[in-house]
Amino acid sequence: MIKAVFKKINFIKVVIVFLLIFGSKIKAQGQNDSDKTIISDQLKWSERTALTVLRNYPNAWQLDGNDKPKWDYKMGFVLSGFEKLFQKTNDKKYLNYIKDYVDERIDSSGTIKKYDVKEYNIDYLSPAKLLFNLYDFTKDSRYLKLLGQFRNQLESQPRTASGGFWHKQIYPNQMWIDGLYMAEPFYAQFTMKYEKGKSLDDIAKQFELVQNHIVDKQTGLVYQAWDESKEIGWANKLTGTSPTIWGRGIGWYMLALTETLDYFPKSHPKYKVLVAYLNQIAKNANEYKSPEGLWYQVADKPQLFGNYVEPSASAMVIYAFAKGANRGYLASSYKRTAQKSFDSFVKEFVKVNKAGEVNILNVSSNVGLGGKPFRDGTNEYYLTAKTKENGAIGIGAFLLSAIELDK
């Protein structure tokens, strides 16, 4: 009897201790939520977005839901916005965020962890653009060494028979439209800064190949990819192009042009050619926006069942319109269009929570071609890709567009 009483007392003690611990955790969590500093709605969208990123992703490699560090174009894309925001505000927290990301990925000798040049992954070049300013600010020789390593990758990057960079070693004979953004702005900046512009003709050639083989003759928009050999399963047997005109692909191409032109001398014979390419794609993209001024996942088929306006594509085009107009590559009317579309973007895709944090809704997940299981690149494939809140490309594109429009 006595034993039973003691057992009951001990059980009650355990329950009480458990409730005290569990209750304190709930209370602490509630305090954390309520004690969050509210991000002021008096700040510009660009700063509100950047502060949200800093709060929710203390390490930039955590963006897009990553659970471990990696050298990745999605992180590089968001951080390119941080770089521009630092240049605009001179607030070093934005520069430090970039530096912390890069420093975590390199060792003391200036080598990227888990980087294998033999993969010939052109995506790796995009975050390498961050190294130019880091080296200029710090004079840390590791950053300069890395710039040289990535430039050397381009030197040996496999090419199609006509001279276009393969997207990756595992995708032979294929140029992907996003690869133009990954490589050419880096290539242009490097050759102008360290090579007296010796590679400008090669850079222009990459865009010429897009114009000749990836631009759709009917719409003037761009497919995601082109297989010069026409052998891969997704390739059109006559043209070599992939089946779908992807909204984000249009954005990548426009950004590739605007950011490459930043480093292309006006005196170069191909400067006007690249400006003409930008004007062509801008004019055609403008004709395929929604009544609210946004762009679709499958860009040329707005009435297709299941099609939807997609935030990363929309914000990329908005950014390219605004930047093109600000730099004089495009007519000033494109900036007015960008401003109207930006307002529509905020209404459609931006949700601000009680803490003042900016969230971007319904961002399409990453899409690609080929591989295992095989991605066939059909309209249905793009339309069934999952969407999620705060996909990194959506955050980055919105941040860049807000900075360019001074919003």
Side-chain angles (χ1 to χ4, degrees):
M1 181 70 178
I2 295 173
K3 281 186 178 181
V5 170
F6 274 115
K7 283 183 178 179
K8 188 172 183 180
I9 291 171
N10 287 334
F11 175 76
I12 292 170
K13 285 181 179 179
V14 170
V15 170
I16 291 171
V17 170
F18 174 78
L19 289 174
L20 286 171
I21 293 171
F22 186 71
S24 66
K25 284 186 176 180
I26 293 175
K27 185 178 179 182
Q29 182 63 49
Q31 288 175 337
N32 287 340
D33 289 343
S34 61
D35 290 348
K36 272 188 176 181
T37 302
I38 296 174
I39 297 172
S40 172
D41 61 5
Q42 299 304 302
L43 294 172
K44 293 178 180 178
W45 283 114
S46 56
E47 293 176 87
R48 293 164 72 181
T49 303
L51 290 173
T52 300
V53 170
L54 289 171
R55 174 180 289 180
N56 292 328
Y57 309 98
N59 302 296
W61 56 260
Q62 296 171 311
L63 283 156
D64 218 49
N66 287 323
D67 58 3
K68 58 184 177 181
K70 63 177 179 177
W71 187 257
D72 189 271
Y73 74 91
K74 295 184 291 295
M75 281 81 259
F77 187 60
V78 176
L79 292 176
S80 70
F82 273 74
E83 185 174 68
K84 293 180 191 302
L85 199 54
F86 168 68
Q87 291 166 345
K88 195 166 191 173
T89 65
N90 205 33
D91 189 331
K92 286 198 172 178
K93 68 173 173 282
Y94 301 129
L95 179 66
N96 290 336
Y97 192 58
I98 298 168
K99 187 175 184 298
D100 288 346
Y101 171 73
V102 172
D103 286 351
E104 196 285 329
R105 296 311 303 141
I106 64 177
D107 61 25
S108 58
S109 67
T111 300
I112 291 279
K113 298 170 186 175
K114 297 185 178 180
Y115 166 70
D116 182 359
V117 68
K118 292 179 182 178
E119 292 178 16
Y120 288 111
N121 184 345
I122 213 161
D123 290 341
Y124 288 153
L125 299 178
S126 184
K129 291 180 296 185
L130 302 169
L131 299 167
F132 290 105
N133 279 339
L134 282 179
Y135 177 67
D136 287 345
F137 274 99
T138 67
K139 299 305 178 185
D140 186 330
S141 61
R142 296 179 304 160
Y143 303 141
L144 184 61
K145 178 182 176 181
L146 276 174
L147 283 167
Q149 288 178 1
F150 286 115
R151 173 64 183 89
N152 288 339
Q153 177 182 322
L154 275 180
E155 199 66 23
S156 54
Q157 186 85 10
R159 295 178 183 244
T160 69
S162 56
F165 292 126
W166 290 10
H167 195 68
K168 295 180 184 179
Q169 178 70 37
I170 59 174
Y171 300 135
N173 305 305
Q174 298 171 28
M175 290 185 73
W176 290 23
I177 197 66
D178 39 320
L180 274 288
Y181 173 82
M182 303 302 161
E184 310 322 321
F186 168 83
Y187 198 8
Q189 189 172 359
F190 190 98
T191 198
M192 288 302 297
K193 192 174 181 71
Y194 297 116
E195 299 176 334
K196 298 181 179 179
K198 75 172 189 178
S199 299
L200 291 173
D201 286 338
D202 190 32
I203 293 165
K205 183 180 182 64
Q206 305 304 310
F207 289 101
E208 289 168 4
L209 288 168
V210 169
Q211 291 296 126
N212 292 336
H213 300 285
I214 303 182
V215 171
D216 176 56
K217 299 299 186 285
Q218 290 186 330
T219 64
L221 304 175
V222 288
Y223 293 100
Q224 183 174 359
W226 168 59
D227 174 12
E228 186 166 10
S229 72
K230 305 180 180 66
E231 293 177 354
I232 193 73
W234 51 253
N236 183 299
K237 297 309 175 187
L238 294 176
T239 64
T241 57
S242 55
T244 298
I245 295 176
W246 175 42
R248 191 187 291 169
I250 295 169
W252 284 130
Y253 187 52
M254 294 183 74
L255 267 58
L257 282 162
T258 55
E259 297 201 2
T260 297
L261 281 166
D262 283 347
Y263 305 102
F264 229 88
K266 290 183 178 180
S267 58
H268 193 277
K270 296 297 184 181
Y271 174 84
K272 290 183 178 179
V273 174
L274 297 184
V275 170
Y277 293 163
L278 178 60
N279 276 267
Q280 175 187 322
I281 190 70
K283 176 179 179 294
N284 294 320
N286 199 36
E287 293 176 1
Y288 282 88
K289 65 180 183 291
S290 74
E292 296 75 28
L294 302 171
W295 282 265
Y296 294 89
Q297 173 78 338
V298 177
D300 63 325
K301 296 180 175 65
Q303 303 307 319
L304 190 65
F305 179 77
N307 205 359
Y308 59 95
V309 288
E310 198 280 320
S312 66
S314 298
M316 283 179 169
V317 177
I318 292 167
Y319 170 52
F321 277 4
K323 181 169 183 173
N326 284 340
R327 301 293 193 279
Y329 311 141
L330 297 173
S332 59
S333 60
Y334 282 100
K335 187 168 185 180
R336 293 191 292 273
T337 299
Q339 289 169 333
K340 291 178 182 178
S341 294
F342 184 90
D343 292 340
S344 294
F345 184 103
V346 171
K347 290 177 184 176
E348 180 72 21
F349 299 122
V350 176
K351 181 178 75 173
V352 179
N353 64 20
K354 291 180 180 179
E357 296 168 347
V358 176
N359 298 280
I360 310 299
L361 307 178
N362 301 325
V363 182
S364 172
S365 57
N366 302 326
V367 295
L369 296 161
K372 295 179 181 179
F374 188 79
R375 297 166 294 180
D376 59 9
T378 58
N379 292 170
E380 183 182 6
Y381 164 70
Y382 288 85
L383 294 180
T384 54
K386 291 181 181 179
T387 61
K388 63 180 179 179
E389 191 170 299
N390 294 325
I393 302 302
I395 293 172
F398 179 64
L399 176 60
L400 286 163
S401 64
I403 294 167
E404 197 64 38
L405 286 167
D406 199 29
K407 294 279 193 179

